[in-house]
Amino acid sequence: MNSPLGNIHHIVVEGPIGAGKTSLARRLAAHLGARELLELPAQNPFLPRFYQDRKHYALQTQLFFLFQRIEQQRDLGQRDLFAQPRVVADYMLEKDSLFARLTLSDEEFSLYHRIYEHVAPQAPTPDLVIYLQAAPETLNARVKKRGLDMEQNIDDAYLARVAEHYSQFFYHYDKAPLMIVNSEHLNPAENDEDFQLLLERLAAMRGQRAYFNRAD
């Protein structure tokens, strides 16, 4: 398939809960004929309990996600670029530490970090990262709208902290070209015009960082 994204083979779509990263990753993968590499939160048996009692289930939840992501990243690192020319993921491994720092106590984080240092592989650097931003109240409205039972106990304060940690993380991120998308009034996962505009912005991107806002 001809693509305006040229030699971009490994794309990551990132953003806080409710930003729409998985939906956009799936649409990009379908458009590019790429392999999907997606988080599997439904397989984490601790996640529903975490949303009810974050303090008591944070470590179990985080470690389950860590090992799940490590297994996926090892497979990604061993992929045949000729047989699997493109991959679109809805997370990056570095995000794991972001959530760990957000949810774990100091003692738990110290333990988590020691485990991470021993078992985490060197994750492949993506060719492009798309970071979806949205205000906490927008994220909360989207989470409520999609209606997943285990997410209904997520409170506004937690989403605000998640959004702030993402903002800080990507403010300093420089490992790969980064497209920052304000998704307040953009929905490239579901809106054809927005999706085409995003593809055009990505194709025209020069340098390490660019921004896409509906007002642009």
Side-chain angles (χ1 to χ4, degrees):
M1 175 185 296
N2 292 329
S3 168
L5 300 186
N7 293 322
I8 295 175
H9 298 290
H10 179 190
I11 300 171
V12 170
V13 183
E14 261 290 5
I17 304 163
K21 56 185 177 292
T22 301
S23 297
L24 180 56
R26 284 177 166 156
R27 180 160 192 178
L28 277 170
H31 176 78
L32 298 171
R35 171 191 168 194
E36 295 178 354
L37 185 69
L38 306 177
E39 289 187 302
L40 303 170
Q43 294 185 6
N44 190 329
F46 302 105
L47 189 58
R49 285 172 278 182
F50 167 76
Y51 284 137
Q52 293 179 344
D53 188 345
R54 292 197 295 271
K55 180 178 179 181
H56 288 94
Y57 291 102
L59 183 59
Q60 299 99 310
T61 303
Q62 198 62 49
L63 288 176
F64 187 96
F65 273 132
L66 174 61
F67 288 112
Q68 182 187 72
R69 291 163 181 158
I70 284 172
E71 183 176 350
Q72 289 181 312
Q73 290 292 321
R74 283 179 176 156
D75 180 54
L76 176 62
Q78 296 169 1
R79 78 189 191 280
D80 184 340
L81 289 176
F82 295 97
Q84 301 272 1
R86 291 186 190 273
V87 174
V88 180
D90 69 348
Y91 75 94
M92 59 174 59
L93 188 59
E94 294 96 319
K95 184 263 293 290
D96 202 80
S97 292
L98 181 154
F99 271 90
R101 182 68 278 181
L102 174 65
T103 61
L104 302 180
S105 68
D106 291 342
E107 294 81 5
E108 289 172 336
F109 183 77
S110 178
L111 173 61
Y112 160 86
H113 187 68
R114 290 175 62 187
I115 295 172
Y116 184 95
E117 289 294 305
H118 278 86
V119 301
Q122 182 64 41
T125 301
D127 300 312
L128 172 68
V129 177
I130 302 170
Y131 164 41
L132 301 179
Q133 288 182 323
E137 55 270 23
T138 301
L139 299 174
N140 183 61
R142 292 173 181 172
V143 168
K144 298 299 183 187
K145 182 179 179 180
R146 67 189 183 192
L148 298 179
D149 288 341
M150 67 178 176
E151 294 182 343
Q152 298 311 299
N153 290 314
I154 300 178
D155 56 77
D156 293 357
Y158 177 70
L159 281 176
R161 292 177 64 208
V162 171
E164 177 61 24
H165 275 65
Y166 265 99
S167 179
Q168 293 177 7
F169 176 83
F170 281 110
Y171 180 81
H172 298 285
Y173 184 80
D174 61 1
K175 292 184 179 179
L178 176 66
M179 172 65 76
I180 301 173
V181 179
N182 185 338
S183 68
E184 286 288 321
H185 304 291
L186 288 165
N187 187 4
E190 298 180 5
N191 183 283
D192 292 343
E193 180 182 355
D194 290 349
F195 184 70
Q196 188 59 43
L197 284 171
L198 175 61
L199 292 177
E200 292 172 4
R201 292 298 184 93
L202 294 173
M205 185 175 174
R206 300 293 182 269
Q208 284 293 104
R209 185 170 291 237
Y211 301 86
F212 180 22
N213 298 298
R214 168 55 79 181
D216 286 356

